[in-house]
Amino acid sequence: MNTAYVVRFVVIMTALVALSLALLSQTWAEKIKENEAIFNKRSILSAVKEYLGNDADGNPKDPKKLPDDEIIKIFDEQVEQIALDMAGNRLGPEQVQASGYPGGKAENIDMAKEKKKDEAVRILPLYIFNSNEGKFYIVSIRGKGLWDEIWGNIALKSDLNTIVGASFDHKGETPGLGAEIKDNPKFPASFIGKEIYNTDGRLISVAVKKNAGKKNPHAVDAISGATVTSVGVEEMMERGIKYYEPFFNSLKGTK
Amino acid sequence: MAENTVQEPKVKTSEPLFGKKERKLLTDPLNDNNPITVQVLGICSALAVTSLVYPSVVMAIAVVFVTAFSSLFTSLIRNAIPKQVRMIVQLVIIATLVTIVELTLKRFNYPIYKELSVYIGLIITNCIVMGRLEAFSMANKPWRSFLDGIGNGLGYGAILIMVAVIREIFGKGSLFAGSPLEMKLIGAGADFMINTETSALFGWYSNNGLMVLPAAAMFIIGIMIWIQRSWNKKLIDIS
């Protein structure tokens, strides 16, 4: 087997493989993008899962189990999405596109990409969920856990103070420890009813600490054995919600 | 293997489709020559993905697919593969199949793709796959290589699922969490991941945190190897 044969073999084989894989990936690209979008919508709706209403059997709807088309339907009918800049101004679709998201909608904003940008030029997605029980404001936040990035969505009541739900996810936290922020529904549920402003009207967010106590409106219990992830969640909440403060203030001003 | 063999209709070749040798190729990796417990290959992913049963089942199916078809394709072109680049050629075949698995998951079951994340991609580096290609497919006919691939994939998958069942029951008190079959087996109802309040069999049981960690899989696989070695005469060291 001479060199010419080896080269010929490798070239033909690689070409065949590359061609078939490219073809497959192209045929499915659209649907995969759709799946990604639905996955994102699901996690956004998880933050307001208490207010999604009941299904036909009378059980509360679980965004993790709803079929895809229902997720899209709820999202289209009940969610209003706004893109914001760091000063709290609403951005039009063109400005979102200019930031590198051809979709032009708030849901197209990739928080991981935004996190790498300079703080001043970032753009933020905000979702307003309209339900029978009123308006809920869902903010997206992103930070750092122990091993890799963590992120989440926090839903606020229309007073822009009380948290009504949260959902978290992570890239590589330890199962059974840091990964509990996502796996254990008790952790996101512990944020419900907490307040992000103190009595003086200053934004202090919610601390994640030991022995927080049920009555403390500004703290939740940390996950034992996952100190770094807990601190990461606390830091992410504080910084992430602060980004939205200018917009909240403008909302309050117009009221 | 002394059972009465059902006579398979012979297809062209003089070799039977499911002769004694062929069946041995399928069953050997399940016990006597198991990739995980005997050859101790593919441990990394066995530790990482086995905390829940559902992802483990998906992973097992993916590995069976990859081992079976990479063996088949390698065997089909085994006489044309230049010796100097044979490992790279095998790697290209494996990588192609793994990419197909990855795309298929992304297309048809996105949440499970997210759950398994890098481990699907890491099938490429799973020693079982490459090991079988080098040791078997390069020197055997396509049909036998295909069976050998299925056998080894199943041997790996069986251990994976066994470990996952133990870890999920004791670590989370559930089975098949995340899938439509999801059920709560032991421990307090409505506690962990699962919303059904029914079938709280052992209400007093509280989840064992160790079982969720990869270390638990190490212990379980170790105990499995121990049990298998003391029970399977063929594996007892004669020396």
Side-chain angles (χ1 to χ4, degrees), chain B residues 19-238:
Chain B
K20 206 173 174 190
K21 268 191 182 154
E22 279 75 13
R23 268 185 289 120
K24 206 169 149 50
L25 285 177
L26 274 178
T27 52
D28 233 23
L30 291 181
N31 185 1
D32 295 348
N33 199 15
N34 189 286
I36 294 185
T37 57
V38 179
Q39 300 174 39
V40 200
L41 295 176
I43 293 290
C44 172
S45 56
L47 299 191
V49 299
T50 51
S51 69
L52 293 173
V53 178
Y54 184 44
S56 311
V57 172
V58 176
M59 183 73 179
I61 295 170
V63 171
V64 170
F65 173 82
V66 173
T67 51
F69 284 94
S70 60
S71 294
L72 177 69
F73 290 136
T74 312
S75 179
L76 277 173
I77 58 169
R78 69 185 188 281
N79 294 324
I81 299 177
K83 288 247 151 20
Q84 301 92 316
V85 292
R86 68 173 198 289
M87 297 280 254
I88 296 172
V89 171
Q90 290 163 5
L91 205 63
V92 169
I93 294 175
I94 300 169
T96 311
L97 290 163
V98 170
T99 314
I100 291 174
V101 169
E102 207 167 343
L103 282 171
T104 313
L105 280 182
K106 262 184 172 173
R107 163 74 176 75
F108 293 104
N109 198 337
Y110 196 79
I112 200 79
Y113 163 75
K114 278 277 183 188
E115 178 85 43
L116 286 168
S117 61
V118 296
Y119 293 103
I120 288 293
L122 283 179
I123 297 175
I124 297 172
T125 60
N126 196 325
C127 315
I128 298 166
V129 191
M130 198 97 172
R132 288 328 286 173
L133 296 190
E134 268 290 282
F136 198 90
S137 309
M138 287 301 282
N140 281 281
K141 292 202 169 133
W143 173 242
R144 286 198 179 172
S145 305
F146 185 66
L147 290 180
D148 179 76
I150 291 186
N152 275 282
L154 285 178
Y156 168 83
I159 299 294
L160 215 65
I161 292 167
M162 269 156 44
V163 175
V165 167
I166 298 172
R167 282 180 72 187
E168 187 170 348
I169 290 179
F170 292 108
K172 302 207 159 165
S174 61
L175 259 188
F176 303 110
S179 78
L181 286 169
E182 165 167 332
M183 56 179 116
K184 178 88 188 161
L185 282 186
I186 54 174
D191 174 43
F192 210 104
M193 301 182 79
I194 319 285
N195 300 320
T196 46
E197 231 150 322
T198 50
S199 78
L201 215 52
F202 295 95
W204 48 265
Y205 182 82
S206 78
N207 296 325
N208 184 339
L210 174 68
M211 280 295 172
V212 191
L213 298 173
M218 200 82 215
F219 295 131
I220 295 171
I221 291 174
I223 292 170
M224 277 180 170
I225 293 176
W226 176 27
I227 294 174
Q228 196 195 9
R229 294 216 163 220
S230 53
W231 152 71
N232 190 334
K233 295 258 160 14
K234 285 185 203 157
L235 295 177
I236 295 170
D237 237 335
I238 320 158

Side-chain angles (χ1 to χ4, degrees), chain A residues 19-38:
Chain A
L19 196 74
S20 52
L21 280 184
L23 217 71
L24 187 70
S25 134
Q26 271 307 306
T27 0
W28 284 348
E30 199 116 307
K31 182 71 189 158
I32 288 171
K33 232 180 195 164
E34 223 170 85
N35 285 346
E36 247 167 87
I38 291 169

Side-chain angles (χ1 to χ4, degrees), chain A:
Chain A
M1 291 189 183
N2 53 22
T3 319
Y5 175 78
V6 175
V7 172
R8 216 169 344 126
F9 184 91
V10 170
V11 167
I12 292 175
M13 184 178 177
T14 329
L16 277 177
V17 163
L19 196 74
S20 52
L21 280 184
L23 217 71
L24 187 70
S25 134
Q26 271 307 306
T27 0
W28 284 348
E30 199 116 307
K31 182 71 189 158
I32 288 171
K33 232 180 195 164
E34 223 170 85
N35 285 346
E36 247 167 87
I38 291 169
F39 191 82
N40 185 28
K41 285 173 183 170
R42 244 178 238 279
S43 71
I44 292 164
L45 288 179
S46 294
V48 287
K49 67 170 172 219
E50 322 273 320
Y51 301 93
L52 290 177
N54 294 337
D55 58 15
D57 300 332
N59 297 319
K61 284 181 184 170
D62 182 354
K64 272 192 197 131
K65 289 181 192 148
L66 286 176
D68 289 354
D69 45 349
E70 195 162 349
I71 290 284
I72 298 175
K73 194 175 149 244
I74 295 175
F75 208 84
D76 284 350
E77 286 174 3
Q78 291 183 283
V79 176
E80 186 190 334
Q81 38 183 313
I82 304 170
L84 300 169
D85 67 8
M86 293 300 280
N89 304 311
R90 289 183 185 221
L91 299 176
E94 308 81 39
Q95 283 155 299
V96 177
Q97 278 161 354
S99 297
Y101 306 103
K105 285 189 197 163
E107 61 171 310
N108 300 124
I109 296 173
D110 182 353
M111 295 291 286
K113 224 159 129 190
E114 289 304 312
K115 199 167 168 266
K116 291 197 187 92
K117 290 187 192 168
D118 205 34
E119 268 199 2
V121 297
R122 286 185 199 173
I123 61 173
L124 310 160
L126 177 85
Y127 307 94
I128 302 173
F129 180 74
N130 298 299
S131 78
N132 301 332
E133 281 110 319
K135 273 187 174 187
F136 299 105
Y137 294 80
I138 307 170
V139 301
S140 291
I141 54 178
R142 196 170 182 104
K144 224 178 139 8
L146 172 60
W147 303 114
D148 215 318
E149 293 197 329
I150 52 176
W151 57 94
N153 294 292
I154 309 288
L156 299 168
K157 231 189 228 170
S158 51
D159 64 357
L160 298 174
N161 183 17
T162 320
I163 295 174
V164 295
S167 70
F168 297 103
D169 204 344
H170 61 91
K171 202 166 175 186
E173 298 307 293
T174 320
L177 299 172
E180 294 289 273
I181 60 170
K182 173 189 165 209
D183 293 342
N184 191 341
K186 280 181 187 166
F187 181 70
S190 66
F191 283 89
I192 295 173
K194 303 292 175 189
E195 289 166 4
I196 56 171
Y197 285 94
N198 68 3
T199 42
D200 304 336
R202 209 159 51 83
L203 183 66
I204 58 165
S205 179
V206 177
V208 182
K209 60 180 192 188
K210 205 168 156 185
N211 298 329
K214 281 223 154 55
K215 283 188 192 118
N216 188 342
H218 301 296
V220 296
D221 279 324
I223 297 166
S224 43
T227 312
V228 180
T229 312
S230 300
V231 171
V233 171
E234 177 178 316
E235 187 276 336
M236 159 173 91
M237 297 251 323
E238 189 175 2
R239 191 171 37 80
I241 296 177
K242 209 155 227 146
Y243 290 160
Y244 289 90
E245 205 183 8
F247 179 73
F248 289 167
N249 289 339
S250 73
L251 267 187
K252 284 175 188 159
T254 55
K255 252 180 207 165

